Amino acid sequence: MALGAVDVPLEYVRLGLRFDRLESGFVDAYTGEKRIRAEVESEPAPTPQGLRAQARALLQELDSTVLPADRAAFLRGQLTGLECSARKMSGEPVGFLDEVRGYFQVDLTLGDPAAYAAAHAELDALLPGEGSLAERYAAHRRREECPPQRLEAAVHALSSALRDRVRGRYGLPEAETVRYEVVTDKPWSGFNYYEGDYRSRVAINADLPHRLSQLVHLVAHESYPGHHTEHCRKERGLVERAGHLEHTVFLVNTPECLMAEGLADLGVDAAVGDGWGPWSAEVLGDLGLRFDGHLAERIAAAAAPLNRVRQDAAVLLHDRGADADEVAAYIQHWSLVSPDRARQQLRFLTHPLWRAYITTYVEGYDLLHRWLGARPAGQDVADRFVRLLDEPLTPAVVTAELSDA
């Protein structure tokens, strides 16, 4: 690095920590030196305008950086997301679609109602009986609900079983651990708090009913091989071995979030694959918790197109000017959920920090599912998926690889 040159990775970390002073929770995880955080905390209070200027200055510095191309591309995407957040925080008008593009490097379109209707038809065939499809689907989900007093035991059993598989396929640091806790009054179903040194605390929201067949997805998403596994492997590889300081901080509403949520939502595919329904039913069956794993897997596949409905709801709410009641009805109709569950989703979609975040699940899963499927002939899923765990990939890079495939 030339004398007097800006240390862009270090200044990026400092900038991210300053955002957390304006919006608590903006830093999802920080594993760097306590000294750096203490220095930022002792600075004068930041302003959105000041943070916007700092993000723009660092983006300009990247034009003359000597960093390798992959590090520069990662930092460029992250800083672009931070610059957009600063503009939002300062009150500048930013359209919702532009906001999502600035954060996550993707362009949104509304889903196809014909695809939703086809999913309803498939579910209708899988759930025969009297009453409307929504009523039969609700009854099916109630049959699968985990008794609240058994939730913690079920989570631990699945976590242990998935951990064994992930250790075998991907490897984990010997010292890694996950601690689970049950919480309430949150806008999400589960949340990983990565504490550094290969430790995570995973919170499970007890306000929402948890279905036995979906618990494996929740645990895979938050822990093995999802968020916890990714944090552990990047801390060991990119930070400790390669010295990439920028990976000591994980920031909300940046491209790395779309990558992280996409890979976490592919966790069951990467750890178990086809047959995950009977596999998880066997794990939970040892606790006396029963559900039809084969049916659950078929229903999950049939309902998969409906995952996009929640992103449609965000677009309708924030871009098309629909009111909350109209959007709640849209969610309830196409997602086949109760009014209470639709309102819970609205709570997430209207949260100041999280309103655009739904895109990370929808577009993240779609992008990375296509990328996994486009792997070279003969390449194992694990060999492809491990790149997501270890490399500083961005949505733009993955999109480009798909175009070149």
Side-chain angles (χ1 to χ4, degrees), residues 265-302:
D265 270 353
L266 285 164
V268 169
D269 293 340
V272 183
D274 291 340
W276 62 262
W279 180 85
S280 57
E282 183 177 353
V283 171
L284 293 177
D286 289 342
L287 301 179
L289 298 168
R290 312 288 181 190
F291 71 97
D292 185 333
H294 294 283
L295 178 61
E297 193 164 345
R298 294 173 67 192
I299 287 176

Side-chain angles (χ1 to χ4, degrees), residues 11-46:
E11 293 308 315
Y12 159 76
V13 172
R14 293 182 184 275
L15 179 60
L17 294 173
R18 291 178 188 124
F19 270 88
D20 201 56
R21 293 187 64 190
L22 283 182
E23 178 72 64
S24 180
F26 199 96
V27 170
D28 182 83
Y30 177 66
T31 62
E33 294 181 34
K34 293 180 180 178
R35 171 188 58 83
I36 296 174
R37 187 161 212 166
E39 289 172 354
V40 169
E41 291 292 332
S42 68
E43 295 173 350

Side-chain angles (χ1 to χ4, degrees), residues 225-347:
H227 294 321
H228 171 72
T229 303
E230 182 193 7
H231 281 305
C232 285
R233 290 186 63 99
K234 283 191 166 80
E235 182 176 358
R236 182 176 62 180
L238 292 177
V239 177
E240 294 180 359
R241 294 177 180 171
H244 292 186
L245 194 66
E246 60 271 26
H247 294 284
T248 61
V249 67
F250 189 93
L251 304 172
V252 169
N253 292 334
T254 57
E256 69 180 341
C257 297
L258 186 135
M259 298 297 297
E261 300 298 355
L263 82 85
D265 270 353
L266 285 164
V268 169
D269 293 340
V272 183
D274 291 340
W276 62 262
W279 180 85
S280 57
E282 183 177 353
V283 171
L284 293 177
D286 289 342
L287 301 179
L289 298 168
R290 312 288 181 190
F291 71 97
D292 185 333
H294 294 283
L295 178 61
E297 193 164 345
R298 294 173 67 192
I299 287 176
L306 305 181
N307 289 334
R308 188 165 286 272
V309 171
R310 50 193 177 160
Q311 180 171 271
D312 289 354
V315 173
L316 293 171
L317 194 64
H318 302 305
D319 183 69
R320 303 296 174 89
D323 64 35
D325 289 340
E326 183 181 354
V327 174
Y330 182 91
I331 295 171
Q332 188 178 341
H333 172 69
W334 286 121
S335 292
L336 299 170
V337 297
S338 68
D340 287 346
R341 189 60 183 259
R343 290 290 175 182
Q344 176 75 9
Q345 290 189 26
L346 269 183
R347 182 183 174 194

